Structures are given as C-alpha cells and as structure tokens.
Amino acid sequence: MGSKTSSLLRPDEVQALTEKTGFTTREIIRLYNRFACLDKSRSGFLRREDLQNIPEFSVNPLCNRVIEAFFWESDEVNFTQFATLLSTFRPIRSRTVKEFNNRDGKIKFLFRLYDVDKDGKLSKEDFHEVLAGLVGTTVQDKEMEKVIMRAICEAGADINDDDEEIFVTFEQFKKTLNHVDVETRLSMPF
Amino acid sequence: ECHGSLGKFTSFAPRGLPMLPRIFILVYWLSTFVFGFLVPAFLGGTLTLRRWYIKNVHRLFVYCDNIINERKHLLGFDNESEEEISSEEEEETIRRSTRQRKRKHLPSYVEEPGDQEEVTPSFGFCDIAPLVMNGISTIRDDQVTTRFYAQEKRLWNMLTRTSIHPVFMSHRLNIIWFLSLVWRWGWLLPMRILVFLAALGWLCLATVILVILPRSLPWYEKCYEWMICLVFKLVTHSFSAMVKFHNPENKAKNGGICVANHTSPLDAAILSYDNCYSMIGQRHGGLLGLCQKILDMTNAHIWFERGESKDRQMVVNRLTRHCSTGNTLPVLIFPEGTCINNTSVMMFKKGSFEIDTVIYPVAIKYDTLFTEAFWNSSEQSFVQYLFMMLTSWALVCDVWYLPPMRRLPNENAIAFANRVKALIAQKGGLVDLQWDGMIKRKKLSERIRTTLMDLERQHFLESSVLPRNISHGNLSTLTSVL
C-alpha cells in the first residue's frame, strides 16, 4: 500500500523521527504508508477533508473535535507533524517516554479537544458545545447545564456572580484527572 | 542509402555465419513458445511444471527474506525487537483496556456517600476517552479505506512496486532482483503477449466456426463450451495462472445467476476457464468493446450503454427476462460493483437478489505474493494494470464453488444478499464488511452518516452519565439504509 511513496522517506528522516517520537522504524514506515493512503491529493499534507473521508471516523460523534485538536496549530499537517501527533497516544514505556506521549501530553490533547474557542481556558460554552454535540441535537438544556456546572465546580473553578467568567484552566483540568488512569485510557498499541 | 543498407545485408549472406545465430534464436524462441506455452495451454497445461515453478519462486522469496533479516540485524534495526521484548506486559495491559473500551465503557465517577438524593451526576472529563481513542485508532488504521489499496505482503516478492524496504540492503539482493527483472521482462513478457494474441486469434477462429455450424446439431453446446472455454484458458495462461477449482459439482447451471467477489477484471476470465457464462456489464470502447461484440455473435450476453446501467430497474428487468427465457447460460455478476483488494467482501447490491432464480455463489481468493491481482483504478490505468500483471511471477488463486442458494419466502433481497455474502466471505477467508464499495469514489451519504453517528452516540450514552434524548433513533431504518 503506497509502496512507491515509502521509498521517498530517507533513512536520516526516519532516524530523526524515531528520536523525536519514540516510534520504531517499522512503525514509522507503516505510518508513512498510512499517511500516503490518506493523502489522496499527493500534496504531502493532510487536510481536514482527508480525515473526514475515513468512513469509520466520520461517524464518530467527536470527529469534528478530534479534527480540531489535530489541526490545532495549522490547517494542514505534513508527515512529521502527523507522526508527532499520533505519538501522543503511544503507550508509556519506561524507556521511550518522550515529551509528547507523557501524561501531560495526553492531558493536553484532551484539553484541546474541549477548548473550542482556542483561548487556553475551558468555558461553559466550550463544554456545552462539545457535550451537546456528543449527546445529540434534542438535548434537555437544563439537565446538561447542571452536569456541566457540577463538573466545573468540582474542577475548582472560581464561581462568582458573573456567569460569563467561569473558566477551567489547564492546571485545574489536570488536577481533576489525578485519580484517573490517563496513561492507559489515552493510549493504544501501534 | 537503401541500396547501401541492402548491400550491407547481402554482403553478410555469402559469409553465412552471422545469419545462423539469428535463425537459431528465432527457432529457439518459436519452439519454446509453441511447446512451452501454447501446447500446454491448449491441453489445459502441465500442472506439475507450474507447481514446480511456484514452489521454487517461493523458495527464492524466503531466501531473500533471510538476507533482508540478516542485514537488518547488522544495520542495527534490531532496536525494534529489544523494545518489543521489554514492554510486552505493558502492551498486554493496553490491549486489554482497548478491548474493554470496545465493549462497555464505564463512567469514571464515584458515588459520594449520603448523596442519594442528588440528581445531577458527576461527569468526568476523561469519560469521553473511549470515543476519542476510537477516533484516533480509525485515523491510524480503519477497516474500509485499506480495502481499496493492495494489501501488505509478508515477504518481499522481488518487485519494486511492492518494495517495503526503503533502505539499500545488500548486493546479493540487488543481483537477484536484477536477474528476476530480466526473467520477467525479457522472457515471460514476450511469451505472455504471444499467448494473449493467440487467445484473441482463437477467439476469432472459434467464433467463425460456431457461427457457421448450425445450432440444431446435438453436439453444438459441447462444442461451444469447449471452444469458448479454450479462449479463456489461453487468456488466463497468458498471465501464468494456476487456478484451483474446488467443489466442481456446485458449478452454475443454465438459468441461474452466479455471484462472486470482485478483485480484478480478470475474475470473469478465470471463472470462464471452467464454465460458460453470460456476461453482464457496460459496453466499452476499443479492444474490450470489440471482444464484447465478437462474444455477442455466439451467445446472448447482456451489455449496457453507459447511462443505462444506472437505471437499476432496467437492469433487473433485463436479467429477469434473460433468466426466464429458455435454456440460457448462467449470468455472471459481481454484486460489489467495484474492485476490492481481496481481503474483504463489501456490500452486495440487492438488484440481482431480487430475481426469482437459483444463485450460485463463488468465492475467489488470490495469493497476492506472486501477483497483485487487485486493480486500483484510481492509481492505475487499465493498460498499466495489464502490464503489471503480465510482468509478474504468476497468478495463483483458489476458486470455491458454493452450494446453490435460493431466496427464502419470508426473506427480503437485502437479507438474502447478506446471507450469500457471509458464506462467500467465510469460505474465502475474507472479512465480511457492511460498507458499500462505492465509498471508493464518493463520500458516505449524509443520511447514512448521521444514522450511524446516532448509533455510536447511543452506544456511548448507555454507559455515560450524560442526559439522553427522550426519543431514541429508529434502529429498524438502519438495516434498510445499509
């Protein structure tokens, strides 16, 4: 699959990627074949449509949010960025933990998934948009509001009279996940 | 100038010697062609010779694989194996949690004591982790898009088109590869082209004979069968085919419909090797169109103009008419509608399963180590594909004839199609998928997408604390949509 393109990957590039992401050579080659398979326009970059064209991914209720977290920094990703992003989900093995797939890296991805307006803080509207999209269109707004408020409170956000100023910061977000096994839940075999 | 070149030519003649090698080569070429390819093709082929060939080619692949592994070890790619050994335990926990995730995901909240009156449940931010990981794993690898590309091989089969090693490996390998190149392009290719041309020639000759002979002759049918099957025998031999037919007692009979999984345009030729079928398909131009016209002269095939094939009702009508008129040959149909890469069977179109006749399912499985038979029409043109096939090692495949099936009285066409598909997938060792092969060319329709997404939502919400919709989606519409 994509056999011709895998020969375009130079050995020094493979080496650099191995160092950066912690993937093995074989995994990098397979990821490259996957990248070439998804990159139908052969431009060397993946765009949002390329991911949306994966049928099983397009029926995931969170697909838009995952795509936004993926394309956080730019509208298109090249192979290095693709591999780096996916390396976030590598299992944490004692010898090959890199900055991307350590606990903080995984939590950061989850944070970005929730952060719809990309302001570095999670507001009520952010949560509402993500969770409402998850639950479906005809949701009971009041119920959802209560769940969100409770989650925000438990995160330790400041509740003042002004409803608009309620935020959850990254540190507070991280703290709520202290008892959660993020390492296993946000990892997958490659 | 003309005189000069002729003069050069004639000046050779009295000396005689340089002409001799030329004649020798010509005779050698012709005789090996006739005796090595043409005669065996006519006689159905010498199976033992081909088996020997396949066995030794496979040995060559294994030998090369060993060289590659040796080199990998020397070049230090073995850091891979070290990593794998040290983390098997961790791999196991990850796999177990992935499996659990795929089954039922449990919410992460903890019941607070003395809080039974509390209505608002506690939502953990990591509750959505299963969905997120499902999404990421489909980005990494999914069941559908991979089916439209050639599958990965376990051994390298000495073709650069399936090269999986981007790094230079060894001189021995390069030499072997070069020799195999000479063998395939210098020897096999010309031979195969000649056999292919012989097949076309025989097609014309056979058609002439069959048209002249009166149909009322008692042995006409047998004669037709022998002659037309021979055409396809020659065609498949031009790709060095080694086909094994299983359960020939289940071969399709007159008046029925034969359905098979589709991998390459040659599927029809391979099946016609053993049995005569009425073909159904679009009219093409060029050489293929000419062949269609010639085949039409001796038997009733069903060809459509380009626009007509979209009209499903018309297709069904013509099929019904064909199957019900007398003793017509069984119709060969590929219900997937497009080429899939032979690792899975995709949705069968229900049109041919609506007709009230016997269905003869057939499973075709190629051994892709020797030839990649899958035609990736978005990457290769037909001519390129033919060239790839003509310069490959051999075409090894298995064909299983499955017992005939009929639609049950309380079964609708879709359920029947799925039943047949499941049997074909099981026999051929293929994955049974519900997705439509047409996704290859166009995106999933919005209707199907939203229906499937609602299904995913409900599945997730079953075990989540988030409030659910009061009205659940109508699940019975799902089967009809798919």
Side-chain angles (χ1 to χ4, degrees), chain A residues 1-4 6-9 11 14-15 18 22-27 29-31 33-34 36-38 40 42 49 51-64 66 70 82 86 89-96 109-110 113-114 122 127 130-140 143-144 146-148 150-152 154-155 168 172-173 176-177 179-190, chain B residues 72 76-77 79-84 86-87 90-91 93-95 97-98 101 105-110 112 115 118-146 148-152 160-168 378-380 433 435 439-440 442-444 448-450 452-454 456-458 460-461 464-471:
Chain A
M1 160 167 92
S3 55
K4 292 188 211 87
S6 60
S7 55
L8 297 174
L9 201 60
V14 176
Q15 191 63 25
T18 312
F23 281 127
T24 63
T25 313
R26 200 175 342 156
E27 284 167 351
I29 293 178
R30 279 170 63 187
L31 276 180
N33 282 335
R34 177 64 175 170
C37 176
L38 292 176
K40 294 203 169 80
R42 300 284 171 91
E49 309 84 72
L51 290 188
Q52 281 161 349
N53 276 336
I54 307 173
E56 281 169 318
F57 181 61
S58 69
V59 302
N60 188 313
L62 283 178
C63 84
N64 284 332
V66 173
F70 222 79
F82 179 73
L86 284 183
F89 301 97
R90 280 185 58 241
I92 294 181
R93 297 175 201 163
S94 48
R95 281 196 315 141
T96 58
F109 187 88
L110 202 59
L113 203 123
Y114 280 108
L122 302 182
F127 281 119
V130 174
L131 295 179
L134 185 58
V135 167
T137 46
T138 59
V139 70
Q140 309 275 43
E143 292 281 328
M144 184 58 90
K146 277 199 244 173
V147 172
I148 294 178
R150 176 164 178 179
I152 294 182
E154 282 176 355
V168 176
Q172 291 166 332
F173 187 78
T176 62
L177 297 176
H179 64 285
V180 176
D181 183 10
V182 173
E183 289 88 338
T184 329
R185 299 194 77 189
L186 286 181
S187 294
M188 56 182 241
F190 273 89
Chain B
K72 266 196 189 161
F77 285 172
N79 57 355
E80 295 175 24
S81 42
E82 268 182 44
E83 286 217 15
E84 282 167 42
S86 65
S87 61
E90 282 150 334
E91 284 272 1
T93 36
I94 303 290
R95 286 219 173 82
S97 76
T98 322
R101 185 191 304 145
H105 11 264
L106 306 166
S108 63
Y109 72 92
V110 175
E112 282 166 30
D115 243 339
E118 183 61 60
V119 179
T120 313
S122 171
F123 175 73
F125 296 130
C126 210
D127 280 357
I128 58 169
L131 272 182
V132 176
M133 292 318 293
N134 271 338
I136 299 289
S137 64
T138 51
I139 293 180
R140 157 75 187 89
D141 200 9
D142 74 306
Q143 285 283 27
V144 182
T145 51
T146 50
F148 304 127
Y149 291 86
Q151 56 179 152
E152 284 183 37
T160 33
R161 64 194 82 144
T162 54
S163 169
I164 50 181
H165 305 285
V167 183
F168 164 77
S378 51
E379 272 185 13
Q380 294 170 320
L433 293 179
W435 298 91
I439 304 178
K440 182 157 86 159
K442 55 180 184 82
K443 271 181 85 163
L444 203 58
I448 299 183
R449 196 175 89 102
T450 41
L452 287 174
M453 196 184 277
D454 281 338
E456 290 283 320
R457 280 199 185 105
Q458 276 164 29
F460 173 72
L461 290 174
S464 163
V465 300
L466 294 175
R468 266 185 270 181
N469 308 356
I470 306 298
S471 63

